[in-house]
Amino acid sequence: MKVSTPSVRAPLTMSLSTATLPVLGLGVFSFLIPASPSVDPVAPANQVCGRRLYLRHCSPCHGDFGLGDGPGAETLDPKPRDFSRERFRLVSTVDGIPTQEDLIEVISRGIVGSAMPPHDHFSQDELAAVANFILVLTMNRRAEIFQELAAEEGEELEWEEAIAKVPLEPGPPVSLPPAHAPTLDLLAEGEAYFQQNCASCHDADGRGRLRTDLLDEQDRPVLARDFQAGIFKGGSRPVDIFRRIRCGMPGTPMPAYELSPREAWGLVHFVESLIDPRAQEQARQRHQLFRPETVQEPLDAHPNAEIWNSVSTQWIALAPLQWTETRVPGFELQLAQDDTTLGLRLSWSDSTPGLAAEGATPDSLTVRFSQEPTPQFFCPGREDETSEYWEWDANSGDFDYEPLGVSVRSIHENGKYEVVILRKLEASPDRVGVGTEPVSIGFEIRNGAGGDPDRSQNLTVWHKLAAHPAGDAR
């Protein structure tokens, strides 16, 4: 067991070089990309700094220069995008070049089916600033690559010539034809088209598990989408499915198809018929504000205590570092508060409980608190910006930590772990959301059956928690 109150982290700083790459204009925007990115200590008044947001929230996975080589990249599967070489997957244009709106949608919504979290807590100005920075970072780096290739041939390529080789303007967006109602005849036509053109990768039943020879543009193994699982990286709405059919997924074996409106809608509706309609929403993460429910009786640490029957339950989605069959998709959360104590009850499915062998990864739960308003989702900030955390694992079992009045009790029954954590509010109440501002709270669950720590780790985004002072559980 662990209960920890890490020391306050020093502000993030990075070296700044005055050397800059040439300016690349993109529409009405133009930027200077420093040779060594830095985090500006103070943003200019009334100006959103896309570079600073990118370095704080995106570079831990994508790297400072967008090369997909951030400190967390090695642990992830699917891997983060290398903007300098790999094409953007989720586009809405006929030529595969993303619009600003395409990038904003991905940044805001995240990518379900990967560790890419949503940034729906960003303002529209912040989303646009990050999207523009990524576009310019991408174009500048690709122009540099053209210069490097020319140099290898003993030639000198001027910057303007290099930029001219990089496609800048997205093509026209694909148009969505008028909807066709999903009649039985149309569904039958869609199924026939699917079996003829799609089943070779996605399988006749839509599970996409028979082909093991598929590779992306970086020769990394990929699996076709499992439609029955119902989790789509670009969304599962009819318009999302249509775009993936019409635009394909550049850089993957998924091609673009030009179909008649009737063929397109028949295929869209047939794919829809394979989907579990709840799956996309259950897998999608959103930033939430939690307010504990007030209970009149004292909270009880036992997971089967009667008082928990009166507290509402909500589903909280998790994102795995590696998308495997042993991932934990999410958990059920109950939050309550009596006059003196904050209580959390979490339950999640795990059909293979038990003590981990020596040196193996045990099943575990970590609850983190941070007083940063927008902590980093991933390393190093997830740990460095934690002000208090509680960690339970199946090997160590239940525990009490008197300095903070923390009690943890757990059971495993009916294929589920159920864990209750109680924490007294009188000790450092500001660290658990008692004060003028909510506190950030994040959850991590490991499934020891996943093997190594990276394959077993599942994370939430940082949510917000607003509790009441002790004696004021309203």
Side-chain angles (χ1 to χ4, degrees), residues 200-456:
S200 60
C201 291
H202 291 283
D203 303 342
D205 62 357
R207 294 301 304 272
R209 288 298 175 266
L210 297 181
R211 288 286 296 272
T212 59
D213 59 339
L214 300 175
L215 302 173
D216 69 7
E217 62 186 334
Q218 298 297 312
D219 290 331
R220 295 181 298 231
V222 294
L223 290 173
R225 183 59 46 200
D226 179 353
F227 295 134
Q228 290 195 32
I231 297 172
F232 291 71
K233 290 184 176 180
S236 60
R237 300 171 303 172
V239 64
D240 301 323
I241 299 171
F242 175 83
R243 283 178 180 170
R244 297 289 71 76
I245 294 169
R246 180 63 185 84
C247 301
M249 295 188 72
T252 78
M254 174 65 192
Y257 289 91
E258 291 193 42
L259 307 179
S260 70
R262 184 174 180 84
E263 288 174 326
W265 279 110
L267 188 53
V268 167
H269 290 317
F270 176 71
V271 171
E272 279 190 293
S273 74
L274 300 174
I275 297 172
D276 178 350
R278 303 164 299 174
Q280 188 80 7
E281 283 304 302
Q282 282 202 318
R284 184 178 176 185
Q285 297 206 65
R286 293 181 177 85
H287 291 81
Q288 301 184 57
L289 172 62
F290 300 138
R291 296 188 183 277
E293 295 181 23
T294 299
V295 293
Q296 302 304 318
E297 300 296 322
L299 288 170
D300 191 317
H302 194 282
N304 282 341
E306 181 69 25
I307 196 166
W308 293 108
N309 293 333
S310 64
V311 179
S312 62
T313 300
Q314 56 187 316
W315 172 261
I316 307 297
L318 289 158
L321 298 189
Q322 299 193 12
W323 202 267
T324 67
E325 297 298 328
T326 58
R327 68 184 180 89
V328 180
F331 59 93
E332 293 178 329
L333 174 66
Q334 295 170 277
L335 274 166
Q337 183 179 342
D338 63 22
D339 285 342
T340 63
T341 305
L342 173 69
L344 296 82
R345 183 181 185 274
L346 301 90
S347 63
W348 66 96
S349 296
D350 189 326
S351 60
T352 58
L355 299 180
E358 184 176 354
T361 302
D363 298 331
S364 67
L365 162 69
T366 303
V367 182
R368 295 185 183 276
F369 296 89
S370 175
Q371 292 176 289
E372 288 282 342
T374 55
Q376 285 183 315
F377 171 74
F378 205 47
C379 65
R382 194 170 184 96
E383 293 80 19
D384 292 351
E385 297 178 359
T386 292
S387 55
E388 178 175 324
Y389 73 92
W390 315 324
E391 186 171 273
W392 165 91
D393 70 66
N395 279 14
S396 301
D398 302 344
F399 66 89
D400 297 294
Y401 183 73
E402 289 300 329
L404 291 177
V406 174
S407 297
V408 180
R409 300 292 182 269
S410 62
I411 60 174
H412 186 281
E413 60 183 24
N414 301 321
K416 279 189 173 184
Y417 277 115
E418 299 177 15
V419 179
V420 170
I421 303 173
L422 301 185
R423 203 273 202 186
K424 295 296 184 183
L425 294 173
E426 59 188 6
S428 302
D430 57 313
R431 287 209 300 257
V432 290
V434 177
T436 57
E437 296 294 332
V439 71
S440 299
I441 181 171
F443 304 87
E444 302 159 23
I445 293 177
R446 291 185 187 271
N447 179 4
D452 66 77
D454 295 333
R455 290 178 64 83
S456 65

